[in-house]
Amino acid sequence: MLSLHHEARTPVHAVPAGLKLLVLFVVGTGSFFVRSIPVLGGALVAVAGCYALARIPWRMAVRQWLVVLPFVAVIFVVQGLLVDWGSAVLVAERIVVLVALAALVTLTTRTAAMVAAVERLLGPLRRLGVRPERVGLVVAMTIRFVPVLKEQADQVRAAQRARGVEYSARFLTPLLVKTLRLADGLGEALEARGVDEDDSRL
Amino acid sequence: MIELDGVSHWYGQRQVLADLTLSLGERRVGVVGSNGSGKSTFARLLNGLLVPGEGQVRVDGLDTRKQGKAVRRKVGFVFQDPDVQIVMPTVGEDLAFGLKHRGQDKAEIARRVDAALAQYGLAELREHPAHLLSGGQKQLLAIAAVLITEPTHVIFDEPTTLLDLGNRRRIARLIRDMDQQVVVVSHDLDLLADFDRVLVFDRGRVVADGKPDGCIATYQAMHPPL
Ligand SMILES: Nc1ncnc2c1ncn2[C@@H]1O[C@H](COP(=O)(O)OP(=O)(O)O)[C@@H](O)[C@H]1O
Ligand SMILES: [Mg+2]
């Protein structure tokens, strides 16, 4: 998902980040116990209502959508052929509700607030050896680097097209090399910026 | 003061730096040399990102091998590509990042981030996603995020290579106005023209060392035009 933050003053934006993450978590787990097409359909309508309430421009909402649409379609067809079409509808609804809600949370929450909320919610797990600051860092860096990776993928594709290769799985090799190089540089940059392996705050 | 004492370095079997002994006390030191001559390796040795295969590197008396962490706190590093150096999603968060990892309290971090945003003309961009910045703005952010932690020395590895003329000049001005000791690796000879000292690297050795005029002329003579 390439969701960017969408700044606005709406009731949805004003909900604290921690609460949004909790709702996402509850709906996420809950949806797996619901086996009713109308109930999940209702959830879908409710989420759509929240988009409207958050005044997300429809173009932005659609863009989130185009990315996951192919996956939903594939899963829907596979499920339909292997099991039955009723459960295919259920599975598709579940994914759509979850992705839409997750995208809504990212669109309406500043990353700093989100990271802080993740760290706070994971706080009680510290005793089990979970290090919330580290999880927070991973969340933040993921948000930062998804667009960078997408840009690299686009570059590799463009370079191949320039040489007359239209679609080829071989595009994965140079992308992998680029990604590994990025990861390498990133490790170095973190170290240069004062983050160490044994950092007590991580 | 940065000192190298009999420093050599190898990647596997391949020697890339050969027996460097240098005392760098000047405020602005430039480094030039062809691709692969060992400049980046040299730069990484100066803040302990690399420790030398042989010999010793000291920054204000701290040995990079034994006190690497302390050295990295003193010595900031600016990479060629700001895209690897900016690790947080937004401008404001990235500025706060280094301070957070130095255990500064929230109020102090907020105060310094505000000051840096104003100082580097980034005030409008606090909540701006880093990946939507222009190349020049990204490099500016990368440098600001290093300077905000108040290092006493800053190493730059080709900071202007990816920039257009306007942004190159902007970064050059910023470097010129810095109080810290800076070591700048660059192919941008204009940037180094008024430096206090320039080192010319060739195949892992320093082949010229002195005032910019003479050294840059030596370097240019090594690569005569057609
Ligand atoms: N991590 C590495 N592993 C192996 N060889 C390397 C590595 N980094 C650099 N080299 C090699 O060492 C030599 C010096 O590299 P470098 O210090 O990056 O030079 P410069 O910055 O002057 O172009 C080059 O030949 C380069 O290919
Ligand atoms: Mg280099």
Side-chain angles (χ1 to χ4, degrees):
Chain A
M1 260 170 297
L2 302 168
S3 45
L4 303 172
H5 178 63
H6 179 254
E7 187 73 59
R9 292 174 153 272
T10 77
V12 182
H13 286 79
V15 175
L19 188 55
K20 281 186 212 166
L21 287 177
L22 266 179
V23 170
L24 183 59
F25 178 75
V26 170
V27 173
T29 19
S31 72
F32 284 92
F33 298 101
V34 178
R35 287 173 203 290
S36 146
I37 293 177
V39 170
L40 282 173
L44 206 53
V45 173
V47 173
C50 292
Y51 268 76
L53 198 59
R55 280 192 255 123
I56 306 293
W58 64 271
R59 272 167 180 281
M60 205 173 227
V62 167
R63 205 163 47 206
Q64 311 280 333
W65 274 101
L66 291 178
V67 182
V68 282
L69 203 61
F71 297 98
V72 178
V74 169
I75 292 171
F76 178 77
V77 171
V78 171
Q79 185 83 8
L81 293 175
L82 294 183
V83 190
D84 61 75
W85 294 103
S87 61
V89 173
L90 274 179
V91 169
E93 278 182 332
R94 239 174 241 150
I95 300 176
V96 173
V97 167
L98 270 186
V99 173
L101 202 56
L104 184 65
V105 171
T106 24
L107 282 169
T108 59
T109 315
R110 291 187 181 173
T111 57
M114 183 118 74
V115 170
V118 168
E119 291 180 1
R120 212 156 356 95
L121 288 172
L122 293 178
L125 300 183
R126 204 185 287 276
R127 252 169 286 145
L128 302 175
V130 174
R131 294 198 272 183
E133 293 79 10
R134 182 160 286 196
V135 179
L137 180 63
V138 170
V139 170
M141 287 184 64
T142 306
I143 297 170
R144 159 80 181 105
F145 283 99
V146 164
V148 176
L149 287 175
K150 177 173 185 304
E151 211 162 273
Q152 292 198 337
D154 290 347
Q155 277 171 14
V156 171
R157 288 281 292 279
Q160 290 195 332
R161 242 177 253 147
R163 282 185 271 160
V165 182
E166 268 312 312
Y167 284 99
S168 158
R170 266 185 296 173
F171 121 93
L172 290 174
T173 317
L175 184 59
L176 188 65
V177 171
K178 271 186 177 243
T179 307
L180 290 176
R181 205 176 290 150
L182 176 67
D184 206 34
L186 206 56
E188 205 176 34
L190 281 174
E191 202 179 342
R193 297 192 60 183
V195 180
D196 286 274
E197 289 282 319
D198 59 343
D199 199 320
S200 55
R201 279 176 302 279
L202 280 186
Chain B
M1 175 71 88
I2 301 178
E3 295 162 286
L4 289 87
D5 216 343
V7 167
S8 298
H9 196 75
W10 291 263
Y11 291 115
Q13 298 291 309
R14 187 136 161 267
Q15 183 161 21
V16 293
L17 290 178
D19 197 23
L20 300 177
T21 296
L22 291 164
S23 240
L24 307 174
E26 294 76 7
R27 203 166 69 72
R28 285 179 296 164
V29 179
V31 176
V32 296
S34 2
N35 296 329
S37 58
K39 305 179 300 296
S40 292
T41 306
F42 173 74
R44 280 163 172 71
L45 288 171
L46 304 185
N47 77 334
L49 274 179
L50 275 180
V51 292
E54 212 177 276
Q56 207 188 37
V57 179
R58 287 184 306 273
V59 179
D60 294 341
L62 297 172
D63 186 338
T64 60
R65 185 175 283 115
K66 296 184 195 120
Q67 290 141 301
K69 198 166 177 172
V71 169
R72 279 189 292 280
R73 298 234 150 153
K74 285 177 79 71
V75 186
F77 199 103
V78 176
F79 295 85
Q80 175 180 332
D81 183 0
D83 256 332
V84 305
Q85 178 150 359
I86 300 168
V87 295
M88 289 287 114
T90 64
V91 172
E93 286 170 276
D94 198 67
L95 285 170
F97 180 80
L99 298 174
K100 221 170 141 187
H101 286 281
R102 279 164 177 71
Q104 300 277 352
D105 65 76
K106 282 209 172 110
E108 174 67 7
I109 293 178
R111 194 187 63 71
R112 283 217 232 165
V113 169
D114 284 342
L117 285 167
Q119 185 179 349
Y120 300 103
L122 297 168
E124 309 282 280
L125 301 173
R126 177 198 291 268
E127 303 288 340
H128 203 73
H131 71 98
L132 296 181
L133 297 175
S134 72
Q137 288 172 325
K138 280 185 190 169
Q139 191 58 291
L140 196 62
L141 171 60
I143 295 174
V146 167
L147 295 183
I148 199 173
T149 64
E150 302 183 338
T152 50
H153 309 65
V154 184
I155 316 298
F156 293 84
D157 191 358
E158 301 195 27
T160 58
T161 303
L162 302 174
L163 303 181
D164 62 27
L165 183 62
N167 281 305
R168 279 212 310 263
R169 298 225 159 122
R170 194 159 168 208
I171 300 296
R173 267 199 301 278
L174 206 154
I175 293 175
R176 189 194 60 204
D177 295 337
M178 283 170 53
D179 299 323
Q180 290 94 338
Q181 181 182 30
V182 298
V183 177
V184 183
V185 175
S186 186
H187 294 297
D188 184 352
L189 301 177
D190 293 337
L191 174 65
L192 308 180
D194 65 343
F195 272 36
D196 304 309
R197 180 174 174 185
V198 170
L199 307 173
V200 182
F201 272 68
D202 185 37
R203 282 165 282 180
R205 291 172 196 280
V206 174
V207 295
D209 177 355
K211 290 283 167 208
D213 304 357
C215 284
I216 289 174
T218 308
Y219 177 54
Q220 281 168 332
M222 286 160 62
H223 305 277
L226 289 177

